Amino acid sequence: MARSGWMKPVEPTRPSDHVSLGVLAKVFPPSLVNEVVTKVGAGEQRSRLLPAWMMVYYVMALALHAAASYEEVMRNLLGGLQWISHRTSEWSMPTKAAIFKARTRLGAPVMIELFDQAAKPFGL
């Protein structure tokens, strides 16, 4: 049952969709992500629409939004990047094929190394 006075948001995304990116960036700072991408050798040699660092956050966002489609997660990620960076221009939405190729280029070693560097025992 809806709360009294609650209205459905006009926009399809919620602020919480963007907050998850901020939390990921706090737990896994861009400097750490870039360090891991470089260490593993997953960095790109040319400028891409979907750079390796962005795909790291995308893969983590997929886990946070498991019930959402790949495109919806990418829209949330791009919207979050726009919200965090205060960009006024629109991001280009990549195609399914571009997302698939970028995830393949990234590979699992980046995520394994990131986990190895960032994971710490809880409560210590």
Side-chain angles (χ1 to χ4, degrees):
M1 182 172 180
R3 293 181 305 231
S4 175
W6 183 86
M7 292 176 26
K8 183 177 178 182
V10 176
E11 292 184 29
T13 59
R14 301 169 305 274
S16 61
D17 294 334
H18 304 309
V19 169
S20 62
L21 177 64
V23 172
L24 287 177
K26 184 163 177 80
V27 176
F28 302 96
S31 58
L32 175 62
V33 171
N34 288 328
E35 177 186 321
V36 168
V37 166
T38 302
K39 180 178 180 180
V40 174
E44 46 280 323
Q45 295 180 353
R46 61 188 180 114
S47 180
R48 296 188 178 271
L49 176 63
L50 298 170
W53 66 266
M54 184 185 297
M55 293 311 296
V56 169
Y57 290 114
Y58 176 72
V59 169
M60 290 188 282
L62 284 173
L64 292 175
H65 303 284
S69 70
Y70 285 0
E71 294 86 3
E72 185 178 347
V73 173
M74 182 57 75
R75 256 189 303 281
N76 288 339
L77 179 66
L78 293 175
L81 288 172
Q82 187 174 5
W83 183 70
I84 287 171
S85 67
H86 304 293
R87 285 184 61 161
T88 54
S89 61
E90 288 291 317
W91 293 89
S92 298
M93 182 62 186
T95 63
K96 285 184 194 180
I99 294 170
F100 173 78
K101 288 177 185 176
R103 286 185 67 199
T104 302
R105 275 193 313 271
L106 180 67
V110 173
M111 303 309 291
I112 293 168
E113 181 64 26
L114 184 63
F115 177 82
D116 287 346
Q117 288 201 23
K120 295 180 178 40
F122 186 71
L124 296 178

